[in-house]
Every structure is written in C-alpha cells, then in structure tokens.
Amino acid sequence: MLAYQRHPRTGAEVALTTLSVDNYITRPPVYYNTRKLHRYTEPRLVRQMIDWLLRHGAHAERWVAKAAAGTGTAAGVYDIRQLVVDGKACHSVARISRTPVTNLHLRNERSSLEALGLSEQTRRSVAEAAEQALAAFPGARSAGVDVMVSRSGKPYVLEVNPYGDLLYHVLHEGADPYEWQLRCFAAGEDGRRGIEREESGACPT
C-alpha cells in the first residue's frame, strides 16, 4: 500500500508506505515490506516505488481524507472493520492512527465504535455501506468490510476481506465472530433443508 500526494502548485510529491527498496549497481533492486510507515519526498524514489507496485497489479484509488475522532492516545483518523454475516452487519472495530494508514499490524490503536464516540447515525451508515458491499458478491455469506468515513460524514468502502473476521475480544449479542458465524450458517442450512422438504412434499421434522 502506498498513499501518494502531489502539491497542485509546487509539484512537490510525498509518498507514505511501508515499502522500502535497496538499490544496487550490479544487480536489480530489492523491494521489501518494513512493517513501518516511511515518508518519501524524493521524486525519483517515489516514481520508482509507484512503478514497481503498478507492475505487480496494483490499482489506484482516490485519496479521501478520513474523519478524526477519539481522545488522548486513542485520538486520530479512523476507519472501521465491519463484519457482515448473511447480509447483516454484526461485529465491528475501529482502527485509529495519527497517519492516513490505520492497519493494526503497524501498531495503531483499536477501539469500539461506542468508545470512539461515533453517533448512532454514523454507525448505521457504516453498517449499511458494509452490507451493500457484501451484497455485490452473490453467494458470499461472510466478509470483513473496511469502511472509512470522510470529514463530511460520508462512508466509503475501502475493501472487502473474505477472511476479515479476526476481531479479538469483540462480541455481538454475546457471541464472538466465529460463534456468531456458526449460528448464522447453521440457521441458514436448517432453513434451506426446510424449503427442500416442503418442495419435495416431505414433512419437516
């Protein structure tokens, strides 16, 4: 991931990324993930990194400024990992950072949406955006949807993670993400079996 910005008047460039590169004279450069966020402003190096990422199938997204929330050490811009199971939003966690990049493996903070002070309207708009995103994948029953909220309050879906349910210490109606998914999947399977029995003329048991 690389966040790129260019000043419209001066042309000054800045890139924020965990990517780094070692350049050599006698052999090709070596690119690697440092798991630390770096800020690059040298145009030649910025272009080199962007070119390398694009050669490997990267796609470009508009950089939308994220809303800020929280207090103290847990204050900063945020986005939300919203789990959706069988079309309904359930578990969620906010990821908070003092940089535009909120990934938790970069030692950013995490919080519940309530502790972050998000309004009911914001929480509902995030849930609806995540539900609509999963609905774009027919047959998908579960995904962790990353949703950001702009400074104007508009939700944007960042990505849909098919294995995005690793949410520690987060409960929904008393169940962790895995227990909740099993409940929903079992209920859905029982419902489908009942429909099949009705269509075949068999009595449900």
Side-chain angles (χ1 to χ4, degrees):
M1 192 284 301
L2 183 147
Y4 171 80
Q5 190 174 33
R6 184 177 185 274
H7 195 285
R9 292 193 300 273
T10 67
E13 297 175 289
V14 59
L16 296 174
T17 180
T18 59
L19 180 66
S20 189
V21 59
D22 290 336
N23 289 307
Y24 301 93
I25 296 175
T26 59
R27 60 190 179 96
V30 175
Y31 298 85
Y32 54 94
N33 185 356
T34 65
R35 298 187 67 182
K36 293 181 180 179
L37 201 61
H38 303 283
R39 186 176 186 270
Y40 298 100
T41 57
E42 203 281 304
R44 180 193 60 81
L45 188 56
V46 170
R47 175 169 293 188
Q48 179 185 357
M49 290 187 171
I50 292 176
D51 287 347
W52 183 82
L53 286 171
L54 293 175
R55 286 197 300 270
H56 287 76
H59 67 275
E61 299 176 351
R62 178 186 175 191
W63 185 348
V64 179
K66 296 175 179 176
T71 58
T73 58
V77 299
Y78 70 91
D79 61 21
I80 295 161
R81 168 66 59 85
Q82 177 67 66
L83 184 62
V84 181
V85 180
D86 280 351
K88 298 296 183 182
C90 45
H91 305 72
S92 60
V93 64
R95 307 179 299 187
I96 311 161
S97 175
R98 297 185 184 276
T99 76
V101 183
T102 57
N103 300 65
L104 293 179
H105 74 277
L106 299 178
R107 297 186 177 180
N108 289 314
E109 299 293 330
R110 54 175 282 160
S111 171
S112 69
L113 277 59
E114 293 79 9
L116 195 60
L118 300 186
S119 67
E120 175 61 30
Q121 180 180 353
T122 297
R123 298 199 300 269
R124 186 63 249 166
S125 68
V126 167
E128 290 174 353
E131 291 170 353
Q132 292 169 11
L134 186 61
F137 299 90
R141 301 192 63 184
S142 174
V145 183
D146 292 341
V147 183
M148 64 156 282
V149 179
S150 72
R151 291 174 180 174
S152 65
K154 181 179 179 179
Y156 288 85
V157 172
L158 300 174
E159 62 183 14
V160 178
N161 303 274
Y163 302 105
D165 52 10
L166 184 59
L167 303 178
Y168 294 112
H169 312 300
V170 179
L171 301 179
H172 177 71
E173 296 188 11
D176 67 27
Y178 303 109
E179 182 181 1
W180 183 255
Q181 288 177 89
L182 289 174
R183 287 183 189 178
C184 293
F185 296 164
E189 186 65 24
D190 289 343
R192 283 194 295 273
R193 289 174 179 171
I195 292 173
E196 291 172 356
R197 284 194 295 266
E198 290 177 4
E199 291 176 345
S200 65
C203 294
T205 58

